[in-house]
Amino acid sequence: APTKEPPETGALLRRFAAEAAHMLDWLAQFGSGANADEGVTRLLYTPAWQQAQDALAERLAGCGLAVSYDDVGNLYARLDGAREREVVATGSHIDTVVRGGRYDGAYGIVAGALALAYLKEAYGQPERTLQLVSFAEEEGSRFPLAFWGSGSVTGRYQARHAPDAADADGVSLAAAMHEAGFGQGRYAAPPAAADWSAFVELHIEQGSVLEREGAAIGIVQGIVGQRRFGFEVSGEANHAGTTPMSYRRDALCGAAEMIVAIRDAALAYGDPTVATVGRLEASPGTVNVVPGRASFTLDVRHPDGAALEAFCGELMTTLERIAASNGLTVSVSLWTEAAPVRMNGRLTEALDRICRTRGLVCRHMYSGAGHDSQLLAPVCPTAMVFVPSRGGISHSPAEYTNAEDLAAGIVVLADLLYALAYK
Ligand code: HGY
Ligand code: MN
Ligand code: MN
Ligand code: MN
């Protein structure tokens, strides 16, 4: 590969600032609401999701990359290397939360696309194959599981065993996958992630540490462990007028007591424990009926696996006690769990050197958000790079990162991919 010096940082920053903002606007059209404050909703296997993946496939093929899908709908774009089977990968997830922002996930895909186009133009064919992956699903916004995309390339899931988890309309993941044209045997299997030489994910921080400290780059050291659960509380539906309070088995009041106990338990455990009940539903949900059933979700995170295990164990005991004291029953299903991971030391040292060379202020940090890198880190050398989020806001239409910060992340990504694939 040509060994000419990389262009000076200013020129690269200006190039990527313009390109990134433009491509992110372009990608956000798939799943955007009628007005800006509705944010972006791009859920697995929905039309918006399909249009985004297909439009990306077309655009990346137009950049001269070899594009393909796998059986679950992960999209790959490759710049084949002289040693083709040696793969250096980058990417993130194309799906979003409901009414989310236009950077979470999308930024890592856009950054990878712009970095590969630049490296191809500046240095030609790499020694190792450079591969961008647009993972089909990471958020767990539509079905009660998360990491379906990266989980399918790291052995956690298989298309043929698509979980029969159903969305709010009762549509199973397997049915939605086949409806979208995917499923076991539909596409040639890509190289398994366990064979990748490295995986690098660029992502917005989704917190406010970088912004508060005036750092341009976060070099992620590790990602917290997380577990997600669904709870069903059962009592007895009854007449709101004729049922004395002492006769009631009110599932919603029981769930409310449980939710406050969850918050108090996380406060008692102290930082960095976090526990979130994101959704609560009651049935029959009628004004003059004592709720006989209630369901709620729980998302628990902690950087230490043993502490996460202990916290969840104690919590289940507390919730069962609350159920018993209210004449209720409570059942729990584990939707997703991801162990805490540490990033690859060799790659994070390379990132330190790149930031020094480029004169970019960086700081090491931990990620409280889950990421596809969490699934990749146990199977191949993995690194994550953050750029600042304005006000630390994410999973919201107000999510924003300015063009200069977007560009700095892409310069760092391009330099690391160059070091991994061309030398
Ligand atoms: O929930 C998370 O941490 C990530 O945004 N999926
Ligand atoms: Mn994300
Ligand atoms: Mn997210
Ligand atoms: Mn009546």
Side-chain angles (χ1 to χ4, degrees):
T3 53
K4 62 184 177 195
E5 279 307 300
E8 50 93 17
T9 305
L12 269 185
L13 287 172
R14 283 188 294 279
R15 166 182 173 149
F16 290 139
E19 291 179 341
H22 180 261
M23 191 167 174
L24 281 162
D25 285 347
W26 168 81
L27 188 53
Q29 67 183 303
F30 306 105
S32 278
N35 43 47
D37 63 8
E38 287 176 47
V40 180
T41 302
R42 224 174 14 236
L43 304 185
L44 180 61
Y45 301 137
T46 59
W49 174 93
Q50 185 79 68
Q51 288 153 20
Q53 286 289 60
D54 289 347
L56 266 174
E58 191 182 331
R59 188 166 178 142
L60 295 168
C63 297
L65 301 175
V67 168
S68 60
Y69 278 113
D70 68 12
D71 282 350
V72 298
N74 293 318
L75 177 66
Y76 303 83
R78 280 183 324 285
L79 179 56
D80 285 336
R83 303 200 301 272
E84 193 175 330
R85 297 293 294 173
E86 293 182 36
V87 174
V88 172
T90 185
S92 195
H93 58 94
I94 190 67
D95 70 314
T96 68
V97 295
V98 174
R99 288 188 299 286
R102 55 179 56 195
Y103 301 84
D104 177 2
Y107 171 54
I109 296 167
V110 164
L114 298 178
L116 261 60
Y118 157 68
L119 290 170
K120 178 172 181 285
E121 180 192 304
Y123 301 105
Q125 185 189 31
E127 286 302 306
R128 293 180 182 82
T129 289
L130 273 169
Q131 172 177 275
L132 168 63
V133 190
S134 171
F135 286 116
E137 190 279 344
E138 181 268 352
E139 296 284 3
S141 303
R142 179 178 178 187
F143 299 100
L145 64 85
F147 304 111
W148 174 241
S150 49
S152 296
V153 295
T154 54
R156 171 177 289 215
Y157 302 120
Q158 278 91 26
R160 67 175 176 282
H161 298 148
D164 56 7
D167 67 7
D169 301 324
V171 177
S172 75
L173 186 149
M177 177 172 68
H178 289 104
E179 177 69 24
F182 298 99
Q184 196 223 346
R186 298 284 180 97
Y187 293 89
D195 299 328
W196 297 354
S197 309
F199 175 73
V200 188
E201 182 172 12
L202 193 50
H203 204 286
I204 53 171
E205 179 197 341
Q206 300 179 297
S208 54
V209 170
L210 292 176
E211 182 183 60
R212 280 198 226 152
E213 295 186 5
I217 298 291
I219 299 177
V220 178
Q221 299 303 298
I223 302 176
V224 298
Q226 70 167 277
R227 288 189 185 180
R228 295 184 191 177
F229 303 92
F231 285 90
E232 290 289 333
V233 181
S234 303
E236 182 182 63
N238 214 326
H239 197 297
T242 57
T243 314
M245 295 308 283
S246 59
Y247 289 10
R248 294 180 179 204
R249 292 196 293 121
D250 183 328
L252 184 51
C253 282
E257 226 181 291
M258 291 175 192
I259 293 165
V260 170
I262 288 167
R263 183 207 54 197
D264 293 350
L267 288 169
Y269 239 63
D271 288 345
T273 314
V274 286
T276 311
V277 174
R279 189 170 70 226
L280 169 64
E281 289 165 345
S283 72
T286 312
V287 62
N288 61 345
V289 177
V290 176
R293 300 178 67 78
S295 63
F296 61 88
T297 60
L298 175 60
D299 173 320
V300 186
R301 306 196 191 191
H302 197 289
D304 176 285
L308 182 62
E309 170 82 25
F311 178 79
C312 291
E314 289 163 32
L315 199 57
M316 295 312 152
T317 307
T318 302
L319 301 188
E320 277 155 7
R321 180 179 45 73
I322 293 172
S325 64
N326 288 277
L328 305 169
T329 59
V330 60
S331 66
V332 58
S333 57
L334 176 63
W335 285 4
T336 285
E337 68 176 315
V341 296
R342 289 201 55 83
M343 295 298 140
N344 177 277
R346 176 176 60 87
L347 295 179
T348 48
E349 284 159 19
L351 288 166
D352 274 322
R353 287 194 299 276
I354 288 166
C355 289
R356 265 196 312 277
T357 307
R358 289 291 187 183
L360 293 168
V361 177
C362 67
R363 64 104 78 197
H364 288 192
M365 60 198 297
Y366 234 75
S367 174
H371 296 288
D372 291 310
S373 291
Q374 190 151 15
L375 277 284
L376 273 300
V379 304
C380 72
T382 297
M384 264 205 100
V385 177
F386 281 167
V387 294
S389 293
R390 184 179 60 187
I393 294 173
S394 182
H395 283 188
S396 153
E399 191 177 272
Y400 177 77
T401 297
N402 69 46
E404 293 69 31
D405 289 337
L406 296 172
I410 302 171
V411 168
V412 170
L413 175 68
D415 283 357
L416 183 57
L417 294 179
Y418 176 80
L420 293 172
Y422 282 86
K423 289 186 174 169

